[in-house]
Amino acid sequence: MAASETVEIAIVGAGVVGLATALRLVADGREVLLIDPNEPGSGASFGNAGTIAEYACMPVGTPAVLRALPKLLLDPDSPFSLRWPALLQLAPWLVRFMRQSLPAATRANALALAGLLADALPAWEDMVGEAGLEDQMRRNGCLYLYRRLSDFAAGAGGRAMRAAFGIHQEVLTPEEVAALEPGLPATAAHGVYFPDSINVTDPAMVMRRLLGAVSARGASVKQAEITGLQVEADGVQLSG
Ligand SMILES: Cc1cc2nc3c(=O)[nH]c(=O)nc-3n(C[C@H](O)[C@H](O)[C@H](O)COP(=O)(O)OP(=O)(O)OC[C@H]3O[C@@H](n4cnc5c(N)ncnc54)[C@H](O)[C@@H]3O)c2cc1C
């Protein structure tokens, strides 16, 4: 970055977080510069599952995960694997993860996530209008399916916590699942339906539209990688 460049607000990283922040700021008439070494919206925001999951307040670390940890670590097909030669280096992180998976920490983390997610749907609805995203939104909720009754039972803690936070969820019997989704193979157990959740058809297209909306309202984009940040009396100095 040129040392002399001065801007009211610089946003480092032009993924969905940077672009959504920029959209809100330019709508308030602020001067915004987005900085990213890559094409805006080409990071994780480009190819995710596209669920606006206001219900997803359960953290990854929970007592159920803690109990399953030995099995998860030994199963080569498990979604949680470790590079064993790096075990010593990873040990402090693992210890922190295990502590955060205890019941009290899980509850505190879920509460914090629920607070962050509480505005997700109205905030997206604002962006839908501002960035012309209506054709990208599928408002048909999200359905969790459980093949085994034991898996459904293991999710009881999460369901109770979501209920306590007032998150809208409906427990469906196998018959109700079949009625909602007749194309599914017969399931042995239950489903949980989150009717308020929205799905984005094409996250990459949403990123392009957000970029178009912020650019049209005057935000600039600079291709650069930020490597340093210094807080000074009259602002923040970025270097890269
Ligand atoms: C497989 C998968 C599925 C997912 N499904 C969902 C889902 O259904 N629903 C959901 O809500 N979330 C989902 N997520 C998570 C979601 O994609 C991310 O939380 C979200 O995209 C993060 O946005 P971001 O703007 O923080 O990051 P990114 O989109 O990764 O953007 C970060 C940007 O910062 C830039 N950057 C990095 N370092 C620098 C630097 N030093 N200087 C300048 N720029 C820098 C990068 O180039 C990048 O463009 C999923 C993630 C994955 C991987």
Side-chain angles (χ1 to χ4, degrees):
M1 272 184 76
S4 58
E5 203 167 343
T6 302
V7 66
E8 186 191 3
I9 299 171
I11 297 178
V12 180
V16 69
V17 172
L19 289 167
T21 307
L23 189 59
R24 180 58 56 91
L25 289 167
V26 290
D28 287 348
R30 315 298 291 266
E31 184 197 11
V32 173
L33 172 67
L34 280 153
I35 306 168
D36 201 307
N38 301 310
E39 196 187 323
S42 67
S45 309
F46 167 88
N48 56 44
T51 311
I52 301 169
E54 91 301 345
Y55 60 83
C57 65
M58 286 311 289
V60 174
T62 62
V65 168
L66 201 53
R67 279 193 298 276
L69 212 51
K71 191 167 164 255
L72 285 171
L73 286 174
L74 295 174
D75 179 354
D77 291 332
S78 125
F80 188 8
S81 63
L82 271 190
R83 279 179 287 118
W84 291 103
L87 184 59
L88 207 61
Q89 207 183 337
L90 292 172
W93 180 89
L94 256 183
V95 170
R96 282 204 305 278
F97 178 78
M98 288 163 78
R99 275 208 194 121
Q100 290 299 317
S101 305
L102 292 171
T106 300
R107 194 173 167 76
N109 291 338
L111 188 62
L113 283 169
L116 283 171
L117 289 165
D119 289 338
L121 290 173
W124 269 96
E125 293 295 0
D126 285 350
M127 287 205 296
V128 166
E130 287 167 26
L133 301 175
E134 189 51 50
D135 63 318
Q136 292 294 313
M137 300 287 140
R138 278 187 303 199
R139 297 167 203 283
N140 53 2
C142 176
L143 178 62
Y144 277 17
L145 288 177
Y146 297 86
R147 232 182 317 191
R148 288 187 297 255
L149 212 49
S150 56
D151 292 335
F152 174 74
R159 285 193 295 280
M161 226 176 268
R162 284 193 293 262
F165 298 153
I167 292 169
H168 198 177
Q169 57 183 350
E170 296 168 14
V171 173
L172 304 183
T173 62
E175 296 73 31
E176 288 168 330
V177 170
L180 187 69
E181 288 293 340
L184 283 174
T187 53
H190 293 75
V192 180
Y193 181 51
F194 302 98
D196 300 334
S197 164
I198 298 175
N199 219 269
V200 166
T201 319
D202 179 354
M205 174 63 78
V206 169
M207 293 309 107
R208 285 198 289 280
R209 300 252 182 99
L210 286 176
L211 178 63
V214 299
S215 303
R217 287 165 175 78
S220 334
V221 181
K222 187 178 183 71
Q223 195 174 10
E225 182 176 12
I226 298 304
T227 53
L229 184 153
Q230 174 102 27
V231 179
E232 296 178 349
D234 56 349
V236 174
Q237 172 104 27
L238 299 176
S239 50

